[in-house]
Amino acid sequence: MTIDVTYLNEHIELFDHWYDECRAAEFQGAVRLYNRLIGPVTSLTLIRPEVADLSMYSAFCRHVPIEGLIRDLHVKNRPIAAPVAGGGKGANPLRPILGALGEMAERLLAVMHFTSLAERVRYGSYTEMTTAGFRAIEPQRLPLFAAEQYNASGFIYERFTTDARLGWVEGIELLSGQSIWVPAQLVLMYYRTLNGETPIGYATTAGLASHTSARSSILHGLFEVIERDALNLRWYSGLAPSTVDVDLESVLGADLDVPRARMSSPHLDMKVFDLTLDSTVPVLAVTGIDRSRRERAFVGGTGAAANRSEALGQALFELGQCQTGFHFEDPFGRNPILADTELADVKEFFDAPLFYGHAGNLPRVQWFTAGTERVGWADIPTLSGSDEKVYETMLSWLRQRGFHPIVFEFGDACPSGMSLTKVFVPELTQACPPRNPMLGHPRFLEMPQTLGLERRRLSFADLKTDPIPFA
């Protein structure tokens, strides 16, 4: 016999009026690391939309210095990391607040996890690892940068070869349950190369997710890496997406229970795009171009989820996060991005929308937003059923495609009742920040021909190397 518990909320106006045990666990997990005096999360700022804005909110957190969280002197004896970014977004105050606290928690916990893992990182080449009996991922399974990038003057990364000396961290293949070792610098947050390691790449937060269960966090991590892969291919391979015909306010109101959402604004041209390529998961993007502005005129967001409405909501809320963030003089703590900023100085994810927001740079995204194909909302793929059913559907799809996701459990620093995992899929392209995107994956060159959009395999010279406009 099972007992279902329902919480009735009569005291905290911000929270839901009633919620189940899963939602209660989310609330408890989100606030667990917040303490305005001792941290690690010390502040939370909610940013409300202004009068002419779309009706979406965002929030961001601040934390104590990273060096204050790290006690291992072996790990601490290196350049101190910059502040960790953590933000949330939504159409009401609660969702961005929980999102910001949750995102900051998962990223800080991932940083702290590395300090507990430092002594378990194994050092050696692929050849040395396999000779010692460890199953390590082969260099040919991880195409990182293109030959043209390696050959460019001043390029800081080197080829991943069987003799390259690296630090390795253990993961578990999702489908087989087998142990496999992966270069730590591609997986671990805050990781810095040590002991004469060869610099072969970097890690991003893509695929990192926390939830009340391991299965849910793995599922959300999978959605994120699929989203990033689709966005990468659409942009760098020059695959203009189809425009989606959809009533935004209707979808938000009917499917996402967002009351009185205003999804139109004077001078703002809004479009929804279908980025979905070869997955069963819907991947959507939303762009907004404010023709009344000469700078910060471009906002956008992307989203992927089992349900198309949820994917659309994620994309819209990311756009709203850009919108509210742009009300600050220095919205994301970065160096100023001016109209004539060199592309080499567009380094971080949030630098890109600032760059394209200058009126003179807007034409550089026109090819992406001016596709002639259109698709109806009902034609966007969607998965239905419980998380468990969706999880099994995703495992089946991965098997059919011959993909082998690797899961890393980052639970060493996790509080009880929460799961923090990172999903890494070698068969998909990796998240690409504007500086030094990893463009060596064959999917960049093969996907246009596979989809019947090109008659031949692309070459590196065919790729569009401007930064992706979405954060």
Side-chain angles (χ1 to χ4, degrees):
M1 183 178 70
T2 60
I3 299 177
D4 293 328
V5 177
T6 299
Y7 293 80
L8 302 179
N9 170 30
E10 297 179 343
H11 304 290
I12 305 176
E13 183 177 355
L14 185 65
F15 283 9
D16 303 329
H17 298 304
W18 62 272
Y19 47 89
D20 59 16
E21 289 184 281
C22 182
R23 186 64 161 168
E26 290 178 5
F27 288 151
Q28 293 168 5
V31 302
R32 194 165 288 170
L33 298 186
Y34 173 78
N35 186 301
R36 66 185 180 88
L37 299 177
I38 63 174
V41 180
T42 55
S43 71
L44 172 73
T45 301
L46 176 67
I47 310 171
R48 299 177 181 273
E50 296 188 356
V51 174
D53 289 343
L54 307 181
S55 53
M56 288 183 284
Y57 298 75
S58 67
F60 65 88
C61 294
R62 298 192 187 279
H63 59 82
V64 299
I66 291 293
E67 59 265 33
L69 302 175
I70 296 175
R71 298 294 178 234
D72 189 331
L73 294 180
H74 175 71
V75 176
K76 203 169 183 175
N77 186 24
R78 64 191 69 195
I80 298 300
V84 174
K89 55 269 184 184
N92 57 47
L94 178 58
R95 181 161 180 161
I97 286 174
L98 293 179
L101 288 170
E103 187 171 273
M104 181 61 81
E106 71 184 23
R107 294 180 179 182
L108 287 179
L109 290 172
V111 169
M112 290 189 283
H113 173 81
F114 167 61
T115 69
S116 71
L117 189 71
E119 294 184 358
R120 284 178 275 161
V121 175
R122 301 191 67 90
Y123 294 91
S125 67
Y126 169 80
T127 300
E128 290 170 339
M129 289 288 290
T130 54
T131 300
F134 295 97
R135 183 169 175 260
I137 193 165
E138 304 91 336
Q140 60 266 31
R141 282 189 62 194
L142 284 181
L144 301 174
F145 299 98
E148 291 81 357
Q149 292 177 283
Y150 288 120
N151 295 334
S153 175
F155 192 67
I156 64 174
Y157 295 104
E158 300 178 32
R159 287 175 171 82
F160 176 25
T161 66
T162 57
D163 296 325
R165 178 174 174 78
L166 302 168
W168 299 78
V169 63
E170 186 179 20
I172 301 295
E173 286 190 337
L174 180 61
L175 299 182
S176 69
Q178 289 185 291
S179 166
I180 188 167
W181 292 74
V182 177
Q185 58 190 274
L186 304 179
V187 175
L188 295 181
M189 302 298 298
Y190 183 67
Y191 187 79
R192 297 293 186 273
T193 55
L194 291 173
N195 301 330
E197 283 186 64
T198 302
I200 64 167
Y202 49 79
T204 70
T205 59
L208 182 68
S210 62
H211 213 277
T212 53
S213 73
R215 177 169 293 190
S216 294
S217 61
I218 290 170
L219 194 59
H220 285 81
L222 274 173
F223 291 159
E224 187 169 2
V225 295
I226 290 170
E227 173 191 339
R228 279 293 169 180
D229 173 74
L231 177 58
N232 289 345
L233 294 171
R234 286 287 183 183
W235 182 261
Y236 290 115
S237 300
L239 305 177
S242 301
T243 301
V244 181
D245 295 320
V246 57
D247 183 338
L248 297 178
E249 295 182 12
S250 174
V251 171
L252 286 176
D255 297 342
L256 297 180
D257 195 28
V258 177
R260 299 182 300 280
R262 181 169 51 76
M263 290 295 117
S264 60
S265 181
H267 314 297
L268 187 66
D269 298 336
M270 295 271 291
K271 284 188 177 181
V272 180
F273 300 98
D274 180 18
L275 305 186
T276 314
L277 291 171
D278 57 347
S279 77
T280 58
V281 175
V283 183
L284 300 174
V286 184
T287 63
I289 297 177
D290 191 336
R291 302 295 180 184
S292 68
R293 299 179 64 94
R294 299 294 299 173
E295 62 179 25
R296 306 188 189 194
F298 176 89
V299 287
T302 60
N307 182 280
R308 59 178 172 243
S309 297
E310 184 64 29
L312 178 59
Q314 288 181 16
L316 278 168
F317 301 154
E318 274 200 6
L319 180 148
Q321 191 173 33
C322 270
Q323 168 192 262
T324 52
F326 285 174
H327 294 315
F328 291 87
E329 182 63 27
D330 181 17
F332 302 112
R334 313 296 184 195
N335 291 329
I337 301 296
L338 307 176
D340 58 353
T341 292
E342 296 289 335
L343 285 180
D345 293 323
V346 180
K347 300 176 180 180
E348 306 291 345
F349 286 110
F350 277 120
D351 290 345
L354 287 170
F355 175 78
Y356 293 112
H358 291 284
N361 296 331
L362 276 174
R364 301 178 83 140
V365 299
Q366 186 173 6
W367 70 268
F368 185 86
T369 60
T372 58
E373 299 292 327
R374 305 191 73 88
V375 62
W377 177 241
D379 297 321
I380 301 298
T382 192
L383 302 178
S384 58
S386 64
D387 272 5
E388 183 174 351
K389 182 178 179 181
V390 171
Y391 185 80
E392 294 302 323
T393 299
M394 292 304 301
L395 294 186
S396 177
W397 175 74
L398 291 165
R399 291 191 187 96
Q400 291 172 3
R401 294 303 313 276
F403 290 175
H404 299 87
I406 302 168
V407 176
F408 298 87
E409 174 60 56
F410 285 0
D412 283 4
C414 235
S416 175
M418 297 298 294
S419 175
L420 178 63
T421 60
K422 181 177 176 66
V423 177
F424 184 82
V425 185
E427 294 81 10
L428 297 177
T429 63
Q430 305 304 313
C432 293
R435 180 173 56 179
N436 298 324
M438 297 182 185
L439 299 179
H441 204 291
R443 279 173 68 84
F444 286 114
L445 308 181
E446 296 170 357
M447 186 56 66
Q449 186 180 32
T450 299
L451 297 175
L453 301 176
E454 292 284 348
R455 294 183 179 180
R456 60 172 179 85
R457 187 179 188 270
L458 299 185
S459 68
F460 182 80
D462 295 316
L463 300 183
K464 297 181 181 295
T465 55
D466 278 359
I468 290 178
F470 302 93

